[in-house]
Amino acid sequence: VCRCASNVNRWRRRRTDAHGSRSLGATERTAGAAAMRILLALLPCALGEIVLSNEWRRQHCVGDMRTRSLVVATATDSPNLLPILAVINSTLTHAVDGDVSHVVITRHVRRLHAAVAKFTPTAQVTICGGFSDLLTQRPPLDKLQRLVDTQRVRRKELLSPFNFAAFYLPYVLREASRVLYLDTDAVVEADVTMLRSLDMGGAPAAAVEDCTQKVHKYVNYELLEEKDHHKLGGEKHWSRFGLSDAAYSNETCVFNRGVVLFDSARWRELRLTETIEDLVDAFVATRAKLWRGGISQPPFLLTLAGRYLKLGVEWNVRGLGRLELGRAEWLLLAQGAQERYGTPGLDAHTAPAGPFRHTFNPYVSPFAAHAKILHFNGDARERRPISTSRRWRRGGTSSQHAVAAMASRR
């Protein structure tokens, strides 16, 4: 409430003349615009500040509660624990100084705690439950559940609060200066502690750009402009969501959300989680017509468009486990590999397929040999809980075993 009052006072001060007195003789239109400004100043506070107390952590988290300067975080509501263990183990294996801790958001706290104690006892892991209840207290995420019974969203699992967990990590982990969020289908192949000292240049997040797709492919810009732009007193357009010009550009590339580095303090300062919540609220209000191709990815892309640091492609070698790739992607991958590593074209490794020969089989990533993080986000990525426990040893296993645990169907 105090912060809301300060926002309103800031708008009022802008309406005060140099002598400290309110300007007189304002027209009705100007008075209306002033009232609108005050109302808009209150909008960021409408949802309430995101606060997570230490008491909540004590009640819902188990394991090593110490927080390092870099935290590797994952979130999943899947009962299959093997992918989580692969993330933890592969990170631990490659961390040179060991100064990295893990936080896992899951529904299966006790089971995972026992598995971590058995397979990676030296890992510094905090496991937290109760997160879905916490997230559904946020009005926009609660409203998302209205779409469960509609035909507008086919993949109902995307409405899970866990799909939005990454955006709240800078609040959950306030003590960590950097948070590296990894999907559970990732395998670490390098020492991620080097990201602690990465100069992010004031950017709130860092990710790997993917120019095989553009943001405009997923967004209904006509609806977005209707929800986002307002005229204040007929003077100018004002962005309700605070989006950058890049969010509206047809040339803005997407990035994959499976590997994201957060500068926690900067993220909170820009209040980007609230921006995502505002966009989700608008998505529900348009009956899921504001964007397509996902639920949590499009608002993340819009919010960070033009605001994130671009990491090298080796930090997210994605698409592993896919069966094929399109021609445009095939050409970009071949060009990128040639420019970076002098790798010859992909002709020797793939063959055109389909009635128009516009796809190529199998999916090949020329960046995999240089990867710092492998991302198995293809459809053919079944994790099989086979007797891999024999391969685990105390203190971690080799990355090859971690990759084997993530191998696709034979």
Side-chain angles (χ1 to χ4, degrees), residues 354-403:
F356 302 103
R357 304 177 74 80
H358 284 170
T359 59
F360 292 81
N361 294 332
Y363 181 88
V364 173
S365 175
F367 304 112
H370 307 273
K372 289 182 169 61
I373 296 177
L374 297 168
H375 193 183
F376 293 81
N377 61 328
D379 293 330
R381 65 179 193 275
E382 178 181 331
R383 294 89 160 180
R384 297 181 295 169
I386 55 177
S387 57
T388 52
S389 59
R390 296 192 303 269
R391 301 172 181 169
W392 295 75
R393 67 172 185 273
R394 293 188 178 276
T397 69
S398 68
S399 59
Q400 287 82 2
H401 292 158
V403 173

Side-chain angles (χ1 to χ4, degrees), residues 57-340:
R57 292 186 183 89
R58 284 191 291 269
Q59 291 178 355
H60 294 86
C61 302
V62 298
D64 192 331
M65 298 295 288
R66 293 173 294 172
T67 302
R68 301 296 190 270
S69 56
L70 176 69
V71 174
V72 176
T74 55
T76 179
D77 55 356
S78 170
N80 184 5
L81 305 183
L82 183 59
I84 302 175
L85 294 173
V87 172
I88 295 172
N89 189 70
S90 60
T91 305
L92 177 65
T93 300
H94 293 93
V96 174
D97 59 9
D99 188 24
V100 60
S101 60
H102 299 262
V103 171
V104 181
I105 309 296
T106 179
R107 298 181 192 273
H108 310 282
V109 176
R110 300 298 171 184
R111 285 181 56 222
L112 182 57
H113 183 54
V116 168
K118 178 178 181 181
F119 294 119
T120 57
T122 61
Q124 302 153 12
V125 183
T126 302
I127 307 165
C128 298
F131 208 68
S132 58
D133 294 335
L134 181 73
L135 292 181
T136 51
Q137 292 175 14
R138 306 297 298 172
L141 299 192
D142 183 49
K143 290 178 183 178
L144 266 181
Q145 304 313 308
R146 299 176 186 174
L147 302 177
V148 170
D149 298 325
T150 70
Q151 299 300 316
R152 297 295 306 177
V153 179
R154 296 183 179 180
R155 295 178 58 193
K156 306 301 182 185
E157 69 273 12
L158 296 180
L159 298 173
S160 167
F162 279 86
N163 206 26
F164 292 82
F167 313 144
Y168 294 85
L169 291 174
Y171 293 90
V172 176
L173 306 169
R174 282 181 174 270
E175 297 83 359
S177 57
R178 298 278 173 90
V179 177
L180 176 63
Y181 172 79
L182 299 178
D183 276 352
T184 55
D185 48 14
V187 173
V188 176
E189 289 284 285
D191 183 10
V192 298
T193 59
M194 69 180 74
L195 295 174
R196 286 178 305 191
S197 56
L198 176 68
D199 182 5
M200 295 181 63
V208 176
E209 185 179 55
D210 174 13
C211 284
T212 63
Q213 302 177 70
K214 301 297 175 69
V215 174
H216 73 84
K217 174 182 177 181
Y218 301 99
V219 180
N220 183 331
Y221 278 105
E222 184 178 346
L223 272 179
L224 180 63
E225 289 184 359
E226 177 185 326
K227 294 291 182 181
D228 187 29
H229 288 158
H230 299 270
K231 283 189 176 181
L232 297 180
E235 298 170 2
K236 63 178 181 179
H237 280 84
W238 181 84
S239 173
R240 168 193 171 192
F241 303 125
L243 303 179
S244 70
D245 291 340
Y248 284 92
S249 171
N250 289 338
E251 299 304 315
T252 300
C253 301
V254 305
F255 59 88
N256 183 271
R257 201 203 62 182
V259 179
V260 180
L261 178 67
F262 293 97
D263 183 321
S264 300
R266 183 63 173 155
W267 180 274
R268 293 193 300 269
E269 178 187 351
L270 296 178
R271 301 179 65 173
L272 297 182
T273 300
E274 286 93 327
T275 299
I276 292 172
E277 288 183 334
D278 284 342
L279 286 166
V280 170
D281 198 52
F283 175 74
V284 176
T286 60
R287 299 176 63 185
K289 297 177 183 177
L290 189 55
W291 59 69
R292 62 186 181 87
I295 301 298
S296 63
Q297 176 83 343
F300 196 37
L301 294 174
L302 288 170
T303 299
L304 281 182
R307 290 174 169 171
Y308 70 95
L309 176 70
K310 297 173 184 178
L311 295 174
V313 66
E314 66 274 7
W315 284 105
N316 187 357
V317 178
R318 56 164 191 82
L320 305 182
R322 285 171 53 187
L323 298 177
E324 61 185 21
L325 67 165
R327 181 174 181 81
E329 186 176 13
W330 184 86
L331 290 171
L332 280 174
L333 285 174
Q335 179 183 350
Q338 174 67 34
E339 292 174 353
R340 277 178 168 266

